Structures are given as structure tokens and as C-alpha cells.
Amino acid sequence: MIFTTLCQHRIPVVHVGSACCFRGVPCVGSSTCLLHIGHREENSYSEQIHCSRKYHRSLMGRQRANKRQIRKETGARVLFPSATSEDKTLIIIIGTKSAVNDAKERLEELIEDLKLRSFTLKIRVDPKYYSGIIGRGGAIITKIRIDYDVIIQLPDQNNKYNDWITIRGHEEKAHGAKAAIEEIVTELGSRRNHGVREMRDVWGAGVGPAGTDHHSVVRGKGRGRGCN
């Protein structure tokens, strides 16, 4: 068993006989392994990107879809740190120089977009309006999320700070979603106040002559019908 390194970045590769393995994972064969010592020099170029771990899952995409797409379109392999890696921020790209540069550029664009999307703001809303913000079957809040491409988190009802809604996304779009929610709350509040006024009008109309209240009028009408 011998140890060697790959390129200027000194990626550890373990060779056992004619086979090799990277991070303890055996290669399928010398003809398909990018790290095999007999592979062409042009396919052994590598670059590194340092990126906070909180972005790794989004970079890989759901079921690693982004990672597979980059491999398919550029031909470069993107290696994310494993659980045992010393540097949890290090992402390694391997392939031909042109493929690696292309993949690196795409990853850097994704990282920059994720950073922009991480803008967060909070809006204080009375929980009594949550059902109106959510809408039937979640239709209203889903539309806001899609229209402004943001993540909207309503707090747990058991949380004592359950009157704060969190919005995360691009700054401009997050503020747009905030304005949309505020407009809904204003409309809901207006409806509630209008309903209260209507109820007051109904009760006020029940006041009879000489200050007779609504209940007295009702009782008087009851006696008029021969009720006890």
C-alpha cells in the first residue's frame, strides 16, 4: 500500500496494487477513476472553493440534483466534505482544466445567490390574522411565496413570541412579501372593525323610547304575544 497526492492541492489517494481509493471508497476501475495514477494528466486538474456548510445542502440540490447537473454539463466532479473531513468548508472540483473552471464558476454563482437569498426580516402580526394570511388550504401564503420567491415562516402557536413572522429571500423581494402581508392584515382589520360597527348599529337600533334597552323591548314584545 502506498500513499500519493493529486495536483497542487495534495488530495490524499490510497493505492492498493493496481486499484486505488479516495476517502476510503474503492474505485470502480482504473479506466473510470479520475484519481487513478494512470489517468491522463489533463483530467487530474483540481480547484478548491471554501463555502460555509449551511449552504452545502442547497448547493447540492434536492437529492443532489444540482451536483449531478453540474457533472453532466461540465464533466467535472464536485466533492463535498465528508463527516470525517477536517475542513468542513472545503469543496473540491476535479476534471479537465476547462471543465473545472466552468464548474467552479457555476458554484460561485450559486453561492452568491444563496447569500443574497439569506436576507431575513421579521414582521409583527397579531396571531388572530394568521388564518387570513394563510388562506384556505394555504392558498394565499403559497401565492405570496411564489410571487416573491421567498420563504415565509409562521411561528409555532406554543411559542410565546408567536406574533413574529419571518421572511427570508432576496432583500427587495422580502420587503415586497412584507408589504403584501401588511396589506392583508390591514384589510382583515378593516373588515373586523366594520363588523363591530354593524353590530353596534344593530344593538343601537334596539334602544326604545325613554332609554328602554334592547332586552326590555324584546321582553315587552314577548309579553305582548302572551308569553310568560
Side-chain angles (χ1 to χ4, degrees), residues 56-69:
H56 287 191
R57 181 175 295 182
S58 297
L59 280 177
M60 287 188 282
R62 182 173 297 180
Q63 297 181 342
R64 300 178 182 266
N66 291 345
K67 183 179 177 181
R68 289 198 301 270
Q69 187 71 13

Side-chain angles (χ1 to χ4, degrees), residues 5-70:
T5 56
L6 175 66
C7 305
Q8 70 273 25
H9 301 300
R10 303 187 65 80
I11 305 171
V13 183
V14 180
H15 295 270
V16 183
S18 60
C20 70
C21 62
F22 176 67
R23 292 178 180 163
V25 180
C27 299
V28 176
S30 60
S31 62
T32 59
C33 177
L34 291 176
L35 302 178
H36 196 274
I37 196 169
H39 197 274
R40 292 179 301 175
E41 180 73 18
E42 63 183 31
N43 283 339
S44 297
Y45 182 80
S46 71
E47 286 281 357
Q48 299 178 352
I49 293 178
H50 286 274
C51 171
S52 173
R53 286 197 68 187
K54 67 181 180 181
Y55 298 127
H56 287 191
R57 181 175 295 182
S58 297
L59 280 177
M60 287 188 282
R62 182 173 297 180
Q63 297 181 342
R64 300 178 182 266
N66 291 345
K67 183 179 177 181
R68 289 198 301 270
Q69 187 71 13
I70 291 174

